[in-house]
Amino acid sequence: MAKKRRPQTKAAAPRAGSDAPIPVVGAREPCPCGSARRYKACHGREAAHAVAELVQRPFEGLPGEADWVALRELVPAATVELTLKGGLPEGVPSVTLATVLPMAWPALRRDNGAVLLGLQNDTASGDLSRDLADTLQRALTAEPGTPVAAGRAAADGPRLQDLLDPQGAFEPTVHTGFEFWIENAENATGEVAASLERANAAAIPTVRLAGPDAAYWCETPEKNHLRWVMTHPEEQLLDALARLHAAGATSLGEGTRLVGSFRAHGLTVPVWDLPSGMRAEDVEKPAKEFAERLAGALADTAPLSADERRARSGLTSRQVTLN
């Protein structure tokens, strides 16, 4: 989906000595603080610094951190019911996280008051959790039947960890298409039906395995893949994978191969190539057996052997950082 330029907010300059926040304006415009300097040379420096500070693990501490990462980076169509601290506000029957929403909206308030929060959107700062929390708060008070526009969260605003119940379940439902965008999708006609058809055609078939946490099978024209988001510390995980790789124990069955890993939002995502005939249900048992082998390798603290070091070097050389 095409990226949209986020609107900037202009406002009258605050009175001298006031504690009012400084609005965001164009970089070359006069700073609203009244200093007579350009914004980029005045309070814009603080804003740029805040944007540059990247939170490496924005979902750390949330239930289902690995699945948050998977839904943000790997899964085309999925939803999760969210549980708010203190319960739902009056007039909001539910809050649902969605991988993506129509027109790349950050959030949507349905006619019945339910809230949909989009996860796969560009954000204004380096703290994805804070940006999503700001969007969620605005969605909870939006007029029913309206989308929520992109915005800039306050630097000291709440994060998802402040708004969501830490004991709440996080159970993704992976969909074959985007019918969850609208109610009674089966009755859609005209442009709405055509838009759904286009979106569905672009979605890669994906299934979340029932056994391992945050392990997702997906189907592509050439071959299938297993992409498994893991929360183990990266260096420890790479050592363990290297031990197994050197021992020939990373296979998930005939024709499968551990090809490398992604790094996404502070977590490591090992990736296997699978034969095109290998379905999600065929991977369940091999993945469970691999998890047991991995647990043993993670517990091994001995120095890596020469073969294991070579295996580790090969794995790190093929690692790609998504975010």
Side-chain angles (χ1 to χ4, degrees), residues 36 71 103 130 147 149 212 218 295 321:
L71 269 55
M103 306 296 293
R130 196 180 309 281
C218 69
T321 298

Side-chain angles (χ1 to χ4, degrees), residues 279-299:
R279 314 304 297 173
E281 57 270 22
D282 301 325
V283 191
E284 291 282 1
K285 183 179 178 182
K288 180 180 178 181
E289 293 169 347
F290 175 81
E292 294 171 354
R293 298 195 298 274
L294 180 63
L298 287 166

Side-chain angles (χ1 to χ4, degrees), residues 56-317:
Q56 295 292 335
R57 288 181 65 174
F59 307 119
E60 186 175 16
L62 291 173
E65 179 189 6
D67 281 305
W68 277 91
V69 172
L71 269 55
R72 167 74 181 182
E73 299 296 338
L74 306 174
V75 182
T79 55
V80 185
E81 295 300 312
L82 299 180
T83 304
L84 304 187
K85 288 182 178 178
L88 295 167
E90 184 177 356
V92 180
S94 63
V95 174
T96 303
L97 181 73
T99 47
V100 66
L101 295 176
M103 306 296 293
W105 288 327
L108 171 67
R109 185 92 186 271
R110 289 194 187 278
D111 291 335
N112 66 356
V115 167
L116 290 177
L117 176 65
L119 183 56
Q120 295 179 10
N121 292 303
D122 291 336
T123 54
S125 79
D127 188 348
L128 180 56
S129 176
R130 196 180 309 281
D131 291 333
L132 288 167
D134 175 72
T135 301
L136 174 56
Q137 284 190 310
R138 290 186 290 115
L140 292 171
T141 58
E143 287 294 322
T146 60
V148 176
R152 186 183 297 275
D156 59 350
R159 308 178 72 239
L160 288 173
Q161 288 81 348
D162 302 314
L163 302 183
L164 301 183
D165 185 348
Q167 304 303 318
F170 193 85
E171 301 174 353
T173 299
V174 178
H175 303 277
T176 57
F178 297 93
E179 283 75 14
F180 62 86
W181 281 353
I182 59 176
E183 296 178 280
N184 301 317
E186 65 276 6
N187 298 324
T189 59
E191 181 57 31
V192 173
S195 296
L196 276 176
E197 185 176 354
R198 288 193 296 270
N200 290 347
I204 296 174
T206 301
V207 176
R208 185 181 188 272
L209 298 193
D213 287 338
Y216 290 82
W217 169 94
C218 69
E219 180 181 31
T220 62
E222 296 296 326
K223 61 188 71 174
N224 298 339
H225 303 280
L226 181 69
R227 301 180 291 190
W228 191 340
V229 187
M230 297 183 176
T231 57
H232 310 293
E234 181 178 355
E235 296 303 312
Q236 183 184 0
L237 176 59
L238 289 174
D239 281 353
L241 291 174
R243 295 182 196 279
L244 294 176
H245 195 67
T250 57
S251 173
L252 298 177
E254 185 178 354
T256 69
R257 184 168 68 97
L258 175 65
V259 293
S261 63
F262 297 118
R263 182 189 293 114
H265 304 291
L267 300 185
T268 305
V269 189
V271 179
W272 283 262
D273 279 352
L274 310 174
S276 57
M278 194 172 194
R279 314 304 297 173
E281 57 270 22
D282 301 325
V283 191
E284 291 282 1
K285 183 179 178 182
K288 180 180 178 181
E289 293 169 347
F290 175 81
E292 294 171 354
R293 298 195 298 274
L294 180 63
L298 287 166
D300 188 345
T301 59
L304 296 180
S305 67
D307 287 344
E308 291 167 347
R309 289 196 299 273
R310 283 192 290 272
R312 193 185 196 283
S313 178
L315 289 170
T316 55
S317 70

